[in-house]
Amino acid sequence: MALNKTTTMAELPRLLEIANRMRKELDIRDRSYFWSTYKDCFVGEDAVTWMVETGVAGSIKEAVDIGNQLQNLGFLEHVVQEHQFKNKPLFY
């Protein structure tokens, strides 16, 4: 887990807590897209909605920023490593 330019050591406990809550509270399941099935994933736009509705983030932009921090730290990844975290119907 590498820190990026925008993540500080002080932020790590909060980000770890968010990642753990996401595992427990998001709809994580196998999902299909065309002829492929992806195991144990969630939808990016659902995660953004969850972050805003639960108060984890104060805005959509902040939720996307948190998602990208989590991705940069290795807490989540796009199912085929093609996208940064986005407020779109992409699987992570």
Side-chain angles (χ1 to χ4, degrees):
M1 174 183 343
L3 292 177
N4 63 42
K5 294 177 186 174
T6 61
T7 304
T8 66
M9 290 295 286
E11 293 174 298
L12 283 177
R14 178 174 181 259
L15 291 169
L16 180 58
E17 178 186 343
I18 293 168
N20 285 330
R21 283 187 64 194
M22 289 173 75
R23 276 190 213 104
K24 293 175 187 173
E25 298 177 29
L26 288 178
D27 180 18
I28 297 175
R29 59 184 162 93
D30 296 354
R31 297 174 191 274
S32 296
Y33 183 72
F34 286 105
W35 299 274
S36 297
T37 298
Y38 303 98
K39 300 269 184 197
D40 300 323
C41 57
F42 63 88
V43 178
E45 64 188 0
D46 292 346
V48 168
T49 299
W50 173 84
M51 283 189 236
V52 173
E53 287 180 353
T54 61
V56 168
S59 68
I60 291 170
K61 181 188 180 318
E62 183 182 1
V64 172
D65 289 345
I66 290 169
N68 278 304
Q69 285 182 302
L70 292 170
Q71 186 173 14
N72 291 338
L73 291 168
F75 289 121
L76 63 90
E77 65 183 4
H78 180 256
V79 293
V80 291
Q81 294 81 35
E82 289 182 355
H83 296 279
Q84 281 295 106
F85 185 80
K86 297 179 183 176
N87 184 25
K88 298 203 179 256
L90 299 171
F91 301 156
Y92 297 89

